[in-house]
Amino acid sequence: MGMPSPAEPAAPALVSVHGGHSGEFCSHARDRLEDVIAAYAQRGFAWVAITEHMPAWRDALVPAEERAAGLDAEAMAERFRRYFARARELEVAWSDRLRVFVGFESEADAGALEAAEAWTRELRPDCVVGSVHSVHDIPIDVSPALFERAVVRAGGLEALYCAYFDLQYEMLERLRPAVVGHFDLVRLLDSGHRDRLALPSVRRRIERNLDCIASQRAILDVNLRAFAKGQSEPFPSRSVLALAHVRGVRVAPGDDSHGMDDVGRDYARGIRMLAELGFPTRWPVPGSD
Ligand SMILES: [Zn+2]
Ligand SMILES: [Zn+2]
């Protein structure tokens, strides 16, 4: 009998706290929801939170791609109800192979928080991903032209970052989401974002928001879609993850899939960074303490 070999650490489970957008229920995504969920099962995921975008709550905010598909706010709401019903059916259908959490991804603009609360009361989601995609009703992650408009509207880059993190804070306090989506998405179209994130006014807000996330025991979505968008680090960036780590903030990977091809994309790369930073790779489950 030889020496007992040291126990191999188990490979981290494949999970996604944020994903499952589908072309069936979102005009900037692809594929049917059932095919996206089947892709998670086939690729060996233990669980996935399916978190479709909440619908626009007034017609002026209907995104261009939804308008082009002929939808207004009311039609988006109707589709959102069908999304929930379908996701619940698929949760049951796949329950022996894959745990599916059925939720949605919020917005944080004026009016969005009330709408998100109303959807939560009506649909009883397993989890909400709290996200900020626009500031002053202008999307910050869609195109350089819109980003520039948001910068001008806010009164400069520093002011835009501050306004973004202030909106996020309001959203955290009000919705208390189980998952916080792509924490520093505001940096996507700013090539000088490392400097911006280090500004004292911005850094203070980041730390305040992370303290809030830690106290609420929410899970930070380590959003791997950043890599596919040409970023060298996930959302949040490494500097923010280091601040999260010292606060004991819980993290889990989110592939933010918008179609079957995105399922599990760049997973190893994201996990490597989390392990380097010292995060546990036994991922917390949405809604757990
Ligand atoms: Zn999307
Ligand atoms: Zn998002």
Side-chain angles (χ1 to χ4, degrees), residues 202-275:
V202 175
R203 169 84 174 239
R204 238 185 352 261
R205 287 170 167 84
I206 289 172
E207 293 185 328
R208 172 197 63 193
N209 294 11
L210 291 173
D211 285 338
C212 178
I213 291 166
S215 73
Q216 294 181 346
R217 301 288 291 151
I219 301 170
L220 208 52
D221 159 36
V222 177
N223 193 288
L224 308 175
R225 192 170 168 77
F227 295 122
K229 291 187 169 189
Q231 303 275 303
S232 62
E233 37 189 6
F235 305 114
S237 57
R238 183 187 272 266
S239 66
V240 173
L241 282 169
L243 295 172
H245 184 252
V246 297
R247 288 169 168 76
V249 171
R250 305 188 303 165
V251 301
D255 57 16
D256 199 353
S257 62
H258 278 64
M260 296 161 67
D261 291 351
D262 295 339
V263 169
R265 177 181 282 187
D266 292 313
Y267 204 86
R269 202 171 164 190
I271 302 322
R272 207 161 41 238
M273 181 178 288
L274 291 178

Side-chain angles (χ1 to χ4, degrees), residues 2-150:
M3 296 283 288
S5 59
E8 279 287 313
L14 287 160
V15 308
S16 179
V17 280
H18 175 190
H21 300 282
S22 70
E24 195 176 346
F25 299 109
C26 165
S27 298
H28 65 260
R30 305 168 308 282
D31 304 325
R32 292 181 311 171
L33 181 57
E34 64 188 272
D35 295 329
V36 175
I37 291 181
Y40 280 104
Q42 281 151 11
R43 288 171 206 178
F45 273 65
W47 55 262
V48 58
I50 300 293
T51 55
E52 193 52 86
H53 296 285
M54 66 179 270
W57 50 100
R58 51 189 174 88
D59 286 331
L61 298 176
V62 172
E65 71 275 11
E66 304 295 356
R67 250 196 322 269
L71 276 73
D72 59 10
E74 196 183 323
M76 285 188 78
E78 194 41 52
R79 185 183 62 179
F80 191 59
R81 289 190 178 92
R82 280 190 284 112
Y83 151 70
F84 247 84
R86 184 67 183 131
R88 288 294 184 202
E89 287 171 6
L90 292 165
E91 174 193 1
V92 173
W94 283 99
S95 58
D96 57 341
R97 279 190 60 188
L98 174 71
R99 187 166 176 196
V100 175
F101 296 87
V102 180
F104 70 86
E105 184 177 4
S106 82
E107 302 288 341
D109 278 43
L113 300 180
E114 291 81 352
E117 285 170 336
W119 284 120
T120 298
R121 280 192 301 273
E122 177 181 334
L123 297 171
R124 303 263 158 216
D126 300 326
C127 58
V128 172
V129 175
S131 295
V132 181
H133 301 102
S134 18
V135 179
H136 306 306
D137 288 341
I138 304 170
I140 45 106
D141 64 334
V142 169
S143 69
L146 281 171
F147 181 72
E148 188 49 36
R149 199 189 295 172

Side-chain angles (χ1 to χ4, degrees), residues 161-237:
Y161 275 67
C162 290
Y164 171 91
F165 285 113
D166 286 347
L167 267 181
Q168 184 178 64
Y169 186 64
E170 228 180 288
M171 179 276 296
L172 292 170
E173 292 233 293
R174 181 103 175 247
L175 296 185
R176 304 182 65 91
V179 178
V180 180
H182 40 64
F183 181 87
D184 56 0
L185 182 68
V186 66
R187 74 167 212 245
L188 174 67
L189 294 166
D190 172 18
S191 57
H193 64 81
R194 286 214 173 83
D195 295 339
R196 235 73 64 199
L197 291 172
L199 289 169
S201 60
V202 175
R203 169 84 174 239
R204 238 185 352 261
R205 287 170 167 84
I206 289 172
E207 293 185 328
R208 172 197 63 193
N209 294 11
L210 291 173
D211 285 338
C212 178
I213 291 166
S215 73
Q216 294 181 346
R217 301 288 291 151
I219 301 170
L220 208 52
D221 159 36
V222 177
N223 193 288
L224 308 175
R225 192 170 168 77
F227 295 122
K229 291 187 169 189
Q231 303 275 303
S232 62
E233 37 189 6
F235 305 114
S237 57

